[in-house]
Every structure is written in C-alpha cells, then in structure tokens.
Amino acid sequence: MQQILIRGAERLVTMNDAGEEIAGADVLIRGGVIAAVGQGLAAAGEVIEAKGCIVTPGLVNTHHHLYQTLTRAVPGGQDALLFGWLRTLYPIWARFGPEEMRVSALVGLAELALSGCTLTSDHLYLFPNGARLDDTIEAAAEIGLRFHPTRGAMSIGESAGGLPPDSLVEGEAAILKDMERVVDRFHDPRPGAMLRVGLAPCSPFSVSRALMRETAALARDKGVMLHTHLAENAEDVAYSLERFGCRPGQYAEDLGWTGPDVWHAHCVRLDPREIGLFARSRTGVAHCPCSNCRLGSGIAPVRAMRDAGVRVGLGVDGSASNDGGSLIGETRQAMLLQRVRNGAGAMSAREALAIATRGGAEVLGRDDCGVIAPGRRADLAIWDPGGIEAAGAWDPVAALVLCAPPRVRDLIVEGRPVVRGGRLVTIDLARLIERQNSLARRLAG
Ligand SMILES: [Zn+2]
C-alpha cells in the first residue's frame, strides 16, 4: 500500500473537537487514509517536506454549478438581480452540449483544487443537447477530486408560468427516471467513497410540488441526499408567499425537504423560526457569500444559524454568479460578511476555516472527511505562507483567511497528490484554459 509522510509542518490544524493545532507535526498517510498524526514519525514511502507550511483538512465546497465557468462575466448578466440574471443566461446555456459540460467542469474543478478544495458537490440542473451528469463525473475523475454531483432538474418552463425557456425543461417522468439511473450507476455509499450522487430539483420556482415530493421519496428509498436553492433573496420569498401561501422553510418542511439528509443553498432570507426548524431537523445550509454579494441577495444570518446549531458549509456557487471559484477566497468573504452584519467579533478567521473544512464535510454527510485524525480520509491541503500575501503575518493560520487568498502548495485527495508546488499534476492546465476559452468564444459568437 502506498505511503506518504508529510513531515515537519509549521502548524497542523486538525479541526478536531478540541480545535487542536500541532506545531512541528507529521502526518502519515497509508493508502487513502490518515494512519498517524504526531511529531517525529518514522518515514515510510514518499516524504513531502512541509517545513514552514500550514496543513489543514481539504476545503469542502457544498454548492456549485460547474458548467457556469463558461459564462463568467457575461455583459448582460453583470449587474442584474437573480431573476433577470437567469433570463440573460438561460438562452446561452441552452446551446451547451456534452463537451461544454465536461470542459467547463474540468475548469471549475481545477480552480477549486488550486484553492485548497478536496471535496466538492455540484448542482447540474439542465441537460441540453445530450449533456448528462456523466460528463461532469468524468471530469472529476480526471482531476482527482472527491465528488458529490447532484442530478438537478427544471420542469416548469415559460409557457407554464416558470422562469426558464421551454427548451431547457424536462418532463417530470423523464427526470425521475434519469435520477434513478445516475444513483444506481454511480452512487457509492461506502466510507471513503470518491463519488456520491444527490438529487436536486433546481428550486421551488422551477419544478412542481409533486416533483419535489417524489424526489424526496426517491432519495430516501435510495439512501442519497437532497439539495436545492432556498430563500435566496427577497424575490424568492415573495414568490413563495404568493404562489405557495407560505414561507420557503414551511414549503420545504411540508414537502419532506428537511432533515440530516438535506442541504439547501443560500438561505439568505431564513427568519428566526426557519432557523429553529433547520436546527431541530438537522437540515444543512450551503452559504455562498460571494454569490450573495454579486447578486445583491443580502447577508445570510450565518452567525444566528451557527448559534442555533444549524450545520453550515461554504459554497462558491456557480461561476456565473461569483465569477471566481476560489474556496479559500470564499472563506475570507464569509468571515467579512458576518462582520458587516454583526460587528468585528462576529466571526474569527479560525471559525471561518472550520466552516470551510469540517463544516462542509458535515453538511455533505461525510464523517470520514473534514478532520485530520487517524482513520479519517487523507484529504489534506498544504499551504506555504512564504508568499507575498502573508509576508509579515504574525499568525500564519489566521493569515490564511485574513490575508489575500493564496493558492494551495500541495493538495492530497484520498492519499493521492492532485496539486504539487502550486501546479495541478493531473491535467495540463494551459491546454484546458485554451480549450475553455475557445468554447466561450464560440458561444459568444
Ligand atoms: Zn446556485
């Protein structure tokens, strides 16, 4: 079995219950698992020197639409609110096919990896021109990240009073059939799984109540997780009140969309009762601070959620509404945004880092990831604070979040190196960028 020793880290941030940080620490990896953590461990197999470096658990991204990396900074969507932004982008996405899905996913995954992310979910809810969830799954296997894709869906098109064009929606029977197909084909429930599939109608305003209910039933039958967008902004809440006669939290609860196997993206506008509901039911939240800022959606009540015991992870969200996919950058933004709302003491750099690592792993139901301890999966990020952005920092762990977002030096997923010396080793990045840009030019032309 392959062994790697990470030797002599300046500081090892374990994210264990005691919040332990160990100076001069080694980590021994055997196969895909952490075998030992401590000082002066005997070298076995390959040695990665971590002198002067900070080692953290890999960051976990709980919300993304990888395909959107092909529509960053689209002029018509740059300054719009959520619904107007969607109307600008739908016709462009309608021209995607399998190649666009695969290449854009590779780009999104590569960007995440370079920002310290080892595990990401994805929410793909449109399948034009033969595109399938399989295209993104291939991409994740190529990059080498642990992947939780979700099979999304939209079924209410413009002609039925919905937001997306009719060409981008699918029939509900076909949706459920493909959901079943991808779960049966790809979902791996075992500890250490590199691939777990979830089910994820796009949002309450793009599918029927029946599909929400049936998806929940299918997910529970198959033992997979549920994901959607919820209470993203004021328009979203107004739509829920007008159309469903209740707030989004109530709607979710009525349809079986609360529980430890459910996580909702955004939740910017949850009120105190809904926060209580999420805490009681152990429902998770994917907080996407940059996207919320970019679309002017508001500041999610993350402080109140955490204080109430709600499980919160971070998400970069789709690259079209964030434009950047740096998860360590998102960690910084999460911290800053809670301070805008609640004052400078509202969230420390270390708490933000905990949300980005262990918090995300918990939201995705991964008690085998998110903490550096013997027996956990070997998903690790090694950060070199020797760069310009942290020069002069007194606390290198806090500097990871307080200073400008760095690139990870080394990234290890399931005991396998994905990034080394700041470079992806699993893919030719320059060629990938070239391919992506030529696809973007073709879509723009
Ligand atoms: Zn989203």
Side-chain angles (χ1 to χ4, degrees):
M1 197 177 289
Q2 203 198 339
Q3 301 199 70
I4 297 178
L5 181 72
I6 299 172
R7 187 156 66 188
E10 168 86 15
R11 200 83 65 87
L12 180 81
V13 184
T14 65
M15 292 297 168
N16 64 18
D17 290 343
E20 215 176 335
E21 294 179 7
I22 308 169
D26 302 340
V27 183
L28 180 65
I29 298 167
R30 198 171 288 140
V33 178
I34 296 170
V37 178
Q39 287 147 328
L41 298 180
E46 188 188 346
V47 175
I48 297 178
E49 294 292 351
K51 193 166 180 290
C53 291
I54 308 304
V55 178
T56 67
L59 274 50
V60 178
N61 183 39
T62 60
H63 187 63
H64 207 331
H65 312 285
L66 291 165
Y67 75 91
Q68 294 179 3
T69 59
L70 257 173
T71 47
R72 301 200 228 221
V74 169
Q78 285 176 16
D79 306 315
L81 281 172
L82 176 65
F83 285 11
W85 169 87
L86 283 171
R87 283 196 191 94
T88 302
L89 293 172
Y90 282 142
I92 304 174
W93 296 336
R95 288 158 51 210
F96 278 37
E99 173 71 351
E100 284 78 6
M101 288 299 176
R102 199 183 64 82
V103 173
S104 57
L106 284 169
V107 167
L109 292 159
E111 192 179 15
L112 283 171
L114 290 168
S115 74
C117 173
T118 50
L119 162 60
T120 184
S121 63
D122 186 43
H123 187 185
L124 180 58
Y125 52 81
L126 38 88
F127 301 89
N129 309 306
R132 300 193 302 169
L133 197 70
D134 314 36
D135 304 321
T136 60
I137 290 172
E138 274 172 30
E142 195 172 339
I143 297 281
L145 289 198
R146 206 180 289 283
F147 196 39
H148 284 209
T150 60
R151 205 297 183 186
M154 298 194 292
S155 61
I156 302 180
E158 254 168 345
S159 63
L163 212 56
D166 289 355
S167 65
L168 273 183
V169 304
E170 301 171 274
E172 299 198 340
I175 290 168
L176 287 162
K177 196 170 162 215
D178 196 54
M179 283 178 167
E180 198 165 0
R181 177 188 73 84
V182 291
V183 170
D184 290 346
R185 169 122 193 246
F186 297 112
H187 180 70
D188 181 357
R190 294 171 298 178
M194 287 296 288
L195 187 60
R196 283 196 187 155
V197 177
L199 303 181
C202 183
S203 67
F205 55 80
S206 51
V207 300
S208 74
R209 202 182 284 251
L211 186 69
M212 292 292 286
R213 244 196 215 104
E214 282 165 41
T215 304
L218 177 61
R220 286 181 177 128
D221 181 44
K222 298 278 182 190
V224 302
M225 292 188 73
L226 287 164
H227 181 49
T228 192
H229 294 99
L230 201 78
E232 181 165 351
N233 67 6
E235 279 176 295
D236 194 337
V237 175
Y239 185 94
S240 182
L241 287 168
E242 191 196 314
R243 189 91 176 214
F244 310 130
C246 63
R247 290 188 51 88
Q250 176 82 54
Y251 186 71
E253 190 182 27
D254 290 350
L255 296 172
W257 274 76
T258 51
D261 55 350
V262 184
W263 85 106
H264 293 288
H266 302 302
C267 300
V268 174
R269 301 287 173 167
L270 289 193
D271 71 9
R273 277 188 56 194
E274 291 170 307
I275 291 173
L277 165 68
F278 274 44
R280 270 196 316 282
S281 58
R282 305 286 295 144
T283 308
V285 170
H287 172 46
C288 307
C290 285
S291 172
N292 297 159
C293 290
R294 161 79 153 81
L295 296 176
S297 301
I299 302 173
V302 172
R303 182 70 274 149
M305 289 178 192
R306 296 261 299 168
D307 291 347
V310 176
R311 298 176 307 140
V312 181
L314 294 185
V316 298
D317 201 2
S319 305
S321 67
N322 178 351
D323 304 283
S326 165
L327 194 49
I328 189 69
E330 207 68 36
T331 308
R332 182 171 193 253
Q333 190 74 10
M335 174 195 71
L336 295 176
L337 212 46
Q338 288 312 299
R339 292 175 177 213
V340 172
R341 187 176 172 127
N342 302 305
M347 184 175 286
S348 69
R350 281 178 169 78
E351 184 179 5
L353 201 54
I355 296 171
T357 52
R358 184 177 176 162
E362 286 170 357
V363 165
L364 295 183
R366 296 304 299 248
D367 58 8
D368 53 347
C369 301
V371 173
I372 301 179
R376 297 274 185 151
R377 308 316 297 185
D379 289 5
L380 302 161
I382 304 176
W383 309 88
D384 182 358
I388 186 69
E389 60 283 325
W394 290 36
D395 175 347
V397 177
L400 265 181
V401 181
L402 285 167
C403 298
R407 261 197 189 190
V408 76
R409 193 197 81 174
D410 294 80
L411 191 77
I412 293 167
V413 183
E414 188 70 2
R416 292 185 287 262
V418 172
V419 178
R420 292 207 125 152
R423 294 170 69 92
L424 278 159
V425 295
T426 48
I427 198 163
D428 182 335
L429 191 61
R431 278 186 55 191
L432 174 63
I433 293 168
E434 207 175 291
R435 183 85 196 105
Q436 168 96 332
N437 282 333
S438 90
L439 288 174
R441 276 195 300 272
R442 200 160 78 196
L443 287 164

